[in-house]
Amino acid sequence: QVQLVESGGGLVQAGGSLRLSCAASGRTFSRYAMGWFRQAPGKEREFVTAIIWSDGSTYYAGSVKGRFTIFRDNAKNTVYLQMNSLKPEDTAVYTCAVRGGAGRIANSDEYDYWGRGTQVTVSS
């Protein structure tokens, strides 16, 4: 099994920043990419961003592009999500996930392991 543990969520005012972390541990896993998804109350889970582990290529949802940045620390097996200029509509549970192969990077069904999520609340 692969364990993913998120941290860094919390309450922030609109316009503020937060940095989320997702640390991976467990059995050796051929990691192709790691991503962040979010789910707000009453809404479906949506793709936020992903990073290709081998070369650092990144992908972003249009709603967060220019405000959020995903990056990784290979030595720590950790992926980060820097969130700036936060808006109330960014309020959600943010969950990281890892996938072993290529495909549709924004498709949550193609991710193999998931963390438990961390709550991000942005007040207006």
Side-chain angles (χ1 to χ4, degrees):
Q1 282 285 358
V2 174
Q3 290 81 42
L4 302 175
V5 179
E6 302 98 336
S7 61
L11 173 64
V12 64
Q13 287 188 333
S17 298
L18 280 176
R19 178 178 291 184
L20 306 183
S21 302
C22 176
S25 63
R27 71 174 183 88
T28 301
F29 179 71
S30 181
R31 174 173 32 196
Y32 174 76
M34 292 186 71
W36 288 94
F37 291 78
R38 67 186 182 185
Q39 188 167 19
K43 295 187 177 181
E44 293 187 354
R45 177 185 286 168
E46 65 173 352
F47 171 78
V48 177
T49 180
I51 185 167
I52 308 301
W53 204 258
S54 59
D55 65 7
S57 298
T58 57
Y59 302 84
Y60 295 93
S63 59
V64 306
K65 199 167 187 177
R67 299 187 298 122
F68 290 11
T69 303
I70 187 172
F71 58 100
R72 72 200 191 292
D73 184 328
N74 289 18
K76 294 182 179 180
N77 280 327
T78 298
V79 66
Y80 301 91
L81 178 60
Q82 178 66 42
M83 305 185 293
N84 298 329
S85 301
L86 282 161
K87 305 174 181 180
E89 51 263 44
D90 294 317
T91 295
V93 174
Y94 285 70
T95 308
C96 72
V98 63
R99 59 188 293 158
R104 294 167 293 175
I105 199 69
N107 185 1
S108 61
D109 291 340
E110 297 180 19
Y111 284 75
D112 299 287
Y113 296 97
W114 292 80
R116 290 190 172 185
T118 185
Q119 177 71 46
V120 171
T121 303
V122 184
S123 63
S124 57

